[in-house]
């Protein structure tokens, strides 16, 4: 099974950040079955990295691997959308959402 | 006014030429100001100039946040102005925050979010260079990028508050779809509604005319209404403040010669050095000849003179002057004369103005002549023509030099032109050259219609032109209504006899007609 390389950007330890962390933890354990690496980046501490990855909104989960790179914006409370973003949904075609 | 100023918010000088004058000092310091305009109205250039002028003129560093164009494109676009933003980046005078959409990643939304990351990045940029100025360029581009417009509005509100708390002065650009109507799209004006500047780029008489208007500054004064501006490769944005120009020129009592001795006598010894002279007449009355005399007088006094030709080429001007015995070519070689010929059609009036100002500042003449001023009228609206004349006049007066403008009237005899009515109040001295139909002959008459601050001959004097130039003769006598174009004669024997008795070849009649203004 492929290993997911994920990066979660948060801004400070807000309740929104905590929610995103908890949701991510749950998804990783249940849906990724341990095959994952997660980095948590606080933009307040590491703005340069956020600059490089053009992060505007937080929380943002970046799926770096496997390709395609995808950004999942929000506190990850909509589990179905997150799975869609991670290409873990049954019909992956519907998951590709390109912003206007 | 002074009471008002005492309570006014502190302003930050933008350094954009002309803007601080119409803004009574600049934009409100520590606040956000919205700069709104249609596509191509010059928002980004003006915003970047605000940043650049901060670094160059005030030692204030800046951050630019771009939402639409990539930083590389932006920097490339302004390179034609000679603005080296890359250099300033390297020197840590400015920082860039790239908030453009990321083309490399697909985006999925899941749950609530905010724009804290963007604010954190901007704050980091501000910290990294110690910025005092921030621009948020094309903020409207955020809306299609993120799904929830309400979140964006809420977040922008928070961002404005955050930037205000840091104490930076922010300029936000925003596209609007119409020259009139709403300030911006997406309801953005709600979050930076305190201070709004509008840029317009209208088509008037087939010419583009750019204007800037300060719609409002909360708690601070500014000049109202639209002011024309121009964008060019040398200075970027230059606003022509016109009515905001202060009339604080000194008045000189020094006289200079018009080049026609008799005319100088009519004007009680010549023109004032810092005055504007308008020579107005129909075609062929000798306006360009007056210019030649005026140039010659300057050259003979060893003064520099700058001649702007708008109707004739340099060769024509030179040849005509030579036929009256004035050697323009030699004067140019001696560095006393510069002839610049530009047809009015080649560019907009605002650009002409800017270019002519530069020419004047570069050559540093003692006298300026524009032949003819009325040619510029063809390419503009009455309003912008008037503004052009006012700005030209104040430039010349500010430098305390002499200006001579010519004006071509449409009617051969009598009449007055739009140009005259437009600019007569601005000029100090008006000399009318008119054809006079007398006993079936076309003769020419000259009169000093007005001259500020001195006695002048009020008579209408006959003049003729030969190969040595223009010669002023005695006043027309017994003729009325020359200026209306329909002269009437009163040559009954008694009157002309009485007239002869009191006339001592011009001088007595002249003295009698003098008056003080």
């Amino acid at each position: 099974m492929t290993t997911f390389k994920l990066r979660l950007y948060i801004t400070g330890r807000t309740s929104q950040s905590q929610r995103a962390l908890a949701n991510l933890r749950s998804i990783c354990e249940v849906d990724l079955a341990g095959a994952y690496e997660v980095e948590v980046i606080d933009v307040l501490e590491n703005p340069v990295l956020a600059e490089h990855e053009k992060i505007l909104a937080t929380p943002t989960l970046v799926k770096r691997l496997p390709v395609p790179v995808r950004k999942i914006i929000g506190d990850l409370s909509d589990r179905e959308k997150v799975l869609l973003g991670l290409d873990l949904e049954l019909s992956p075609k519907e998951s590709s959402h390109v912003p206007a | 006014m002074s009471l008002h100023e005492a309570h006014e918010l502190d302003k930050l000088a933008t350094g954009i030429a002309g803007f601080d004058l119409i803004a009574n000092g600049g934009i409100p310091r520590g606040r956000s100001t919205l700069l709104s305009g249609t596509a191509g109205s010059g928002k980004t250039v003006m915003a970047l100039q605000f940043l650049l002028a901060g670094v160059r003129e005030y030692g204030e560093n800046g951050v630019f946040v771009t939402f639409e164009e990539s930083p590389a494109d932006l920097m490339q676009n302004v390179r034609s102005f000679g603005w080296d933003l890359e250099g300033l980046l390297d020197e840590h005078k400015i920082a860039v925050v790239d908030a453009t959409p990321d083309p490399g990643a697909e985006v999925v939304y899941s749950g609530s979010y905010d724009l804290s990351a963007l604010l954190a990045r901007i704050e980091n940029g501000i910290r990294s260079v110690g910025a005092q100025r921030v621009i948020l360029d094309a903020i409207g581009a955020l809306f299609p990028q993120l799904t929830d417009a309400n979140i964006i509005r809420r977040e922008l509100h928070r961002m404005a508050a955050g930037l205000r708390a840091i104490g930076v002065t922010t300029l936000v650009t925003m596209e609007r779809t119409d020259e009139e109507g709403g300030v911006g799209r997406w309801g953005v004006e709600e979050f930076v509604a305190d201070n709004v500047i509008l840029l317009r780029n209208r088509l008037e008489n087939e010419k583009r005319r750019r204007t800037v208007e300060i719609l409002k500054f909360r708690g601070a004064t500014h000049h109202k209404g639209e002011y024309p501006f121009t964008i060019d490769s040398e200075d970027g944005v230059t606003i022509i403040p016109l009515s905001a120009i202060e009339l604080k020129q000194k008045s000189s009592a020094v006289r200079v010669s018009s080049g026609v001795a008799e005319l100088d006598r009519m004007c009680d010894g010549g023109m004032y050095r810092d005055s504007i002279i308008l020579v107005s007449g129909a075609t062929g009355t000798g306006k360009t000849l007056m210019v030649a005399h005026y140039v010659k007088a300057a050259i003979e006094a060893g003064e520099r003179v700058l001649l702007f030709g708008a109707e004739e080429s340099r060769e024509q001007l030179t040849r005509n002057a030579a036929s009256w015995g004035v050697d323009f070519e030699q004067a140019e070689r001696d560095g006393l004369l510069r002839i610049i010929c530009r047809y009015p059609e080649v560019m907009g009036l605002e650009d002409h103005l800017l270019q002519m100002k530069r020419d004047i500042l570069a050559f540093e003449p003692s006298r300026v002549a524009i032949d003819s001023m009325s040619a510029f009228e063809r390419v503009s609206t009455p309003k912008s023509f008037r503004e052009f004349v006012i700005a030209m006049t104040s430039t010349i007066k500010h430098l305390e030099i002499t200006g001579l403008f010519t004006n071509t009237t449409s009617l051969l005899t009598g009449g007055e032109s739009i140009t005259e009515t437009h600019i007569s109040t601005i000029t100090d001295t008006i000399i009318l050259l008119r054809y006079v139909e007398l006993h079936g002959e076309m003769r020419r008459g000259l009169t000093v219609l007005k001259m500020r601050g001195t006695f002048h001959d009020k008579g209408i004097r006959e003049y003729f032109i030969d190969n040595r130039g223009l010669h002023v003769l005695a006043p027309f006598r017994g003729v009325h209504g020359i200026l209306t174009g329909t002269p009437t004669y009163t040559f009954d024997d008694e009157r002309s006899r009485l007239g002869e008795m009191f006339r001592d070849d011009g001088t007595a009649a002249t003295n009698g007609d003098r008056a003080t203004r």
Side-chain angles (χ1 to χ4, degrees):
Chain A
M1 187 174 178
T2 43
T3 303
F4 281 82
K5 281 196 153 187
L6 305 175
R7 201 176 256 175
L8 179 68
Y9 284 92
I10 53 170
T11 306
R13 303 280 154 175
T14 60
S15 58
Q16 195 164 246
S17 305
Q18 301 301 339
R19 252 193 334 271
L21 276 167
N23 288 331
L24 179 62
R25 199 171 295 129
S26 151
I27 289 167
C28 285
E29 281 164 12
V30 176
D31 300 287
L32 301 183
Y36 61 88
E37 286 172 28
V38 173
E39 258 183 292
V40 177
I41 311 280
D42 188 339
V43 178
L44 293 180
E45 287 160 19
N46 200 340
V48 179
L49 207 55
E51 191 69 48
H52 285 307
E53 217 149 4
K54 303 182 96 175
I55 304 296
L56 298 182
T58 43
T60 292
L61 179 68
V62 183
K63 174 179 74 104
R64 297 159 61 78
L65 277 176
V67 284
V69 175
R70 195 161 288 144
K71 284 178 179 172
I72 304 165
I73 294 173
D75 64 6
L76 311 178
S77 53
D78 187 338
R79 193 180 189 96
E80 209 170 310
K81 286 275 177 59
V82 179
L83 296 178
L84 219 101
L86 295 174
D87 291 320
L88 289 174
E89 228 265 335
L90 287 174
S91 56
K93 277 175 200 163
E94 288 170 35
S95 69
S96 50
H97 169 81
V98 183
Chain B
M1 194 66 190
S2 58
L3 257 175
H4 204 118
E5 275 167 353
H7 292 100
E8 203 180 39
L9 281 176
D10 196 13
K11 296 267 185 72
L12 177 101
T14 61
I16 298 167
F19 183 82
D20 297 329
L21 213 54
I22 67 165
N24 285 350
I27 60 175
R29 187 188 292 272
R31 306 293 166 95
S32 293
T33 299
L34 182 66
L35 187 60
S36 177
T38 52
S41 58
K43 302 178 294 292
T44 304
V45 174
M46 195 179 275
L48 285 174
Q49 195 164 356
F50 164 72
L51 214 60
L52 198 79
V55 174
R56 281 188 183 164
E57 289 167 40
Y58 303 97
E60 295 174 356
N61 293 349
V63 171
F64 86 77
V65 186
T66 170
F67 292 89
E68 198 167 57
E69 277 184 282
S70 76
D73 283 351
L74 273 180
M75 290 192 270
Q76 176 70 43
N77 291 348
V78 298
R79 205 169 289 154
S80 61
F81 299 120
W83 297 352
D84 180 17
L85 293 179
E86 286 98 335
L88 295 179
L89 265 177
D90 293 343
E91 293 170 39
H92 298 288
K93 304 269 195 217
I94 58 170
V96 177
V97 174
D98 181 359
T100 57
D102 182 357
E106 295 170 14
V107 177
V108 175
Y109 293 87
S110 169
S112 66
Y113 60 89
D114 58 42
L115 294 179
S116 303
L118 177 59
L119 185 58
R121 285 167 59 192
I122 296 171
E123 283 174 357
N124 177 58
I126 293 169
R127 260 196 315 275
S128 71
V129 296
Q132 283 160 279
R133 299 178 179 216
V134 173
I135 58 175
L136 307 180
D137 187 48
I139 206 161
L142 257 187
F143 288 81
Q145 231 187 108
L146 299 170
T147 46
D148 193 332
N150 286 325
I151 293 181
I152 300 171
R153 273 193 287 273
R154 183 194 73 204
E155 289 303 304
L156 288 179
H157 213 288
R158 213 158 61 90
M159 202 180 297
L163 293 172
R164 185 169 165 171
I166 299 171
V168 291
T169 306
T170 309
L171 205 54
V172 184
T173 77
M174 171 87 201
E175 189 165 317
R176 67 200 290 225
T177 45
D178 257 306
E179 297 292 8
E180 312 301 330
V183 166
R185 298 166 69 191
W186 320 104
V188 163
E189 65 267 31
E190 290 161 26
F191 94 96
V192 277
D194 284 358
N195 312 300
V196 178
I197 300 166
L198 298 176
L199 300 184
R200 294 192 180 92
N201 186 19
R202 287 203 197 89
L203 201 56
E204 278 179 14
N205 291 356
E206 301 178 10
K207 297 272 171 200
R208 281 283 168 197
R209 181 175 146 87
R210 298 180 183 278
T211 62
V212 56
E213 177 187 7
I214 299 171
L215 194 66
K216 55 176 165 177
F217 277 171
R218 185 152 295 172
T221 63
H222 59 84
H223 286 256
K224 292 179 177 63
E226 289 180 79
Y227 292 85
F229 74 93
T230 165
I231 299 177
D232 81 343
S233 58
E234 254 174 83
D235 294 334
V237 171
T238 303
I239 290 151
I240 297 150
L242 300 172
S243 47
I245 295 170
E246 287 174 69
L247 287 168
K248 59 180 176 191
Q249 305 95 342
K250 280 175 271 179
S251 257
S252 171
V254 179
R255 304 263 189 166
V256 297
S257 172
S258 66
V260 180
E262 191 55 33
L263 182 60
D264 289 345
R265 271 194 289 279
M266 288 173 74
C267 298
D268 206 34
M271 310 298 169
Y272 283 122
R273 194 186 61 197
D274 57 352
S275 70
I276 304 290
I277 304 147
L278 179 71
V279 177
S280 182
T283 175
T285 46
K287 297 182 299 296
T288 302
L289 174 56
M290 285 285 275
V291 172
H293 276 296
Y294 171 83
V295 169
K296 189 183 180 190
I299 294 167
E300 281 171 356
E303 292 175 345
R304 281 213 270 227
V305 53
L306 182 55
L307 169 59
F308 292 106
E311 279 173 336
E312 291 170 295
S313 68
R314 153 192 303 275
E315 288 70 26
Q316 279 172 300
L317 286 170
T318 307
R319 189 199 59 205
N320 292 346
S323 74
W324 298 309
V326 187
D327 192 347
F328 276 6
E329 280 172 332
Q330 182 60 42
E332 280 208 287
R333 278 194 295 275
D334 292 343
L336 288 175
L337 173 66
R338 213 175 147 214
I339 304 173
I340 297 171
C341 290
R342 265 185 225 118
Y343 289 105
E345 283 79 5
V346 296
M347 50 186 162
L349 268 196
E350 286 79 21
D351 295 299
H352 271 294
L353 178 67
L354 203 64
Q355 203 61 52
M356 287 162 94
K357 267 184 163 175
R358 276 190 201 127
D359 295 333
I360 292 171
L361 291 175
F363 190 63
E364 296 182 340
S366 304
R367 298 182 183 207
V368 174
I370 301 177
D371 187 28
S372 72
M373 189 55 112
S374 44
F376 290 99
E377 201 183 334
R378 317 194 277 267
V379 299
S380 68
T381 58
K383 186 172 185 292
S384 63
F385 178 66
R386 189 178 159 79
E387 286 166 352
F388 171 73
V389 177
I390 293 173
M392 207 61 226
T393 306
S394 67
T395 303
I396 290 171
K397 293 195 129 192
H398 196 74
L399 295 168
E400 293 172 45
I401 58 179
T402 324
L404 184 137
F405 306 156
T406 66
N407 168 52
T408 308
T409 54
S410 51
L411 292 169
L412 282 185
T413 57
E416 61 171 17
S417 71
I418 297 167
T419 314
E420 265 173 33
T421 47
H422 260 75
I423 64 184
S424 58
T425 52
I426 303 159
T427 56
D428 300 296
T429 302
I430 300 178
I431 297 164
L432 297 183
L433 304 177
R434 290 287 189 261
Y435 285 112
V436 184
E437 193 194 329
L438 211 59
H439 307 302
E441 243 183 277
M442 269 306 200
R443 290 157 76 175
R444 294 178 172 109
L446 173 155
T447 186
V448 180
L449 191 66
K450 84 162 179 186
M451 186 165 172
R452 276 196 189 132
T454 190
F455 296 115
H456 66 90
D457 188 334
K458 304 278 198 303
I460 301 174
R461 310 273 291 261
E462 182 165 11
Y463 70 95
F464 71 96
I465 295 169
D466 66 9
N467 58 8
R468 288 184 298 115
L470 190 146
H471 307 273
V472 181
L473 306 171
F476 283 102
R477 286 174 308 108
V479 192
H480 302 280
I482 290 172
L483 293 182
T484 63
T486 48
T488 54
Y489 317 107
T490 50
F491 277 126
D492 58 89
D493 282 351
E494 184 60 15
R495 286 191 76 119
S496 77
R497 198 184 60 79
L498 278 169
E500 290 294 334
M501 272 174 65
F502 293 104
R503 196 169 75 98
D504 185 10
D505 216 3
T507 46
T510 309
N511 284 331
D513 273 337
R514 281 180 180 182
T516 320
R517 277 184 62 98

